[in-house]
Amino acid sequence: MPRVKLFDKEEAIKKAMELFWEKGYEATSLNNLTESLGIGKGSFYATFNSKRELFNICFDVYRNSNVPFIEQLLGSESNIKVGLQKLLEFNLEQLLNDQNHRGCFLANSCSEIVSENVNLQVKLVKHYKYIEQLLVNYMKSGQIQPRKAESIAAMIVTFLIGMSQQSKINRDRKKYSSSINYLIGLLD
């Protein structure tokens, strides 16, 4: 008779993502995971195969929950400057409202384990290229010249990653807001 899983896989993935986000991939042990998820090692391996595979699942869940929001936010604002300002300010609020100072799950992944995990590296490159192209298309729809749109999109992605990492130690909203205003001013 097959064994029945007695835990909610989706809830386990959410808990694992929070743990990876808080501790980082390397510092999260199998014992941390099984304890946090409330499952035994056998169930862990039967469900997720490995710590790395679970991390990759968490990565996909995080990405798939955030990209549609970005698409919706930009799609709902026809004024390019206002739309980009909203995107950057929303991101800033998310970072500064996080009392644990964790930064962005994807940016953290980029800085922690990308060199060891080719699959993750490919996913990160694909993700950031997608976001960059999304921004380029959005700006071009507002009559921003293609070359300028590409440069500003690359700066925005770099800014978002950098702000995510910097927000772990620097909580100065005024400085970030000033940087956001300067960046948006480049659209003039």
Side-chain angles (χ1 to χ4, degrees):
M1 176 180 249
R3 295 180 72 184
V4 178
K5 291 182 182 163
L6 300 175
F7 66 96
D8 182 338
K9 184 177 177 181
E10 287 183 28
E11 187 61 31
I13 291 168
K14 287 179 189 175
K15 287 179 180 178
M17 183 168 54
E18 290 297 322
L19 191 60
F20 283 130
W21 202 347
E22 185 177 318
K23 294 177 69 99
Y25 177 81
E26 290 298 327
T28 301
S29 69
L30 180 59
N31 286 339
N32 295 143
L33 287 165
T34 56
E35 191 175 298
S36 176
L37 306 182
I39 62 175
K41 289 181 182 179
S43 292
F44 178 88
Y45 285 115
T47 305
F48 302 114
N49 296 324
S50 69
K51 174 179 149 179
R52 175 154 293 165
E53 192 165 318
L54 175 56
F55 184 84
N56 285 332
I57 292 168
C58 293
F59 178 96
D60 291 340
V61 166
Y62 182 87
R63 182 190 183 284
N64 293 336
S65 67
N66 284 288
V67 169
F69 173 78
I70 295 169
E71 293 168 335
Q72 181 183 0
L73 188 147
L74 295 177
S76 69
E77 181 55 63
S78 60
N79 182 311
I80 303 305
K81 288 176 78 170
V82 171
L84 292 174
Q85 183 99 23
K86 284 181 180 179
L87 174 66
L88 294 168
E89 287 176 352
F90 176 81
N91 194 275
L92 173 61
E93 288 306 312
Q94 293 295 108
L95 293 167
L96 294 182
N97 288 335
D98 178 8
Q99 297 304 311
N100 296 319
H101 303 225
R102 297 176 300 175
C104 170
F105 185 76
L106 299 185
N108 294 350
S109 302
C110 192
S111 64
E112 185 182 14
I113 64 168
V114 75
S115 63
E116 302 169 9
N117 187 336
V118 174
N119 181 38
L120 180 61
Q121 184 177 18
V122 168
K123 285 181 174 188
L124 280 165
V125 168
K126 185 177 176 182
H127 168 73
Y128 287 124
K129 281 186 178 183
Y130 179 81
I131 297 299
E132 209 169 294
Q133 192 58 53
L134 183 68
L135 294 169
V136 167
N137 293 342
Y138 179 64
M139 284 185 270
K140 285 175 22 181
S141 75
Q143 308 304 314
I144 305 295
Q145 295 298 316
R147 187 172 293 198
K148 185 174 184 177
E150 290 168 6
S151 295
I152 292 173
M155 278 191 274
I156 289 172
V157 169
T158 300
F159 178 79
L160 288 170
I161 294 168
M163 182 170 64
S164 165
Q165 296 304 295
Q166 185 68 13
S167 71
K168 294 176 184 181
I169 56 172
N170 179 355
R171 311 299 276 178
D172 188 340
R173 182 182 309 278
K174 284 184 180 180
K175 283 188 179 181
Y176 292 119
S177 293
S178 176
S179 296
I180 288 170
N181 290 334
Y182 181 80
L183 190 53
I184 297 302
L186 295 174
L187 292 167
D188 294 330

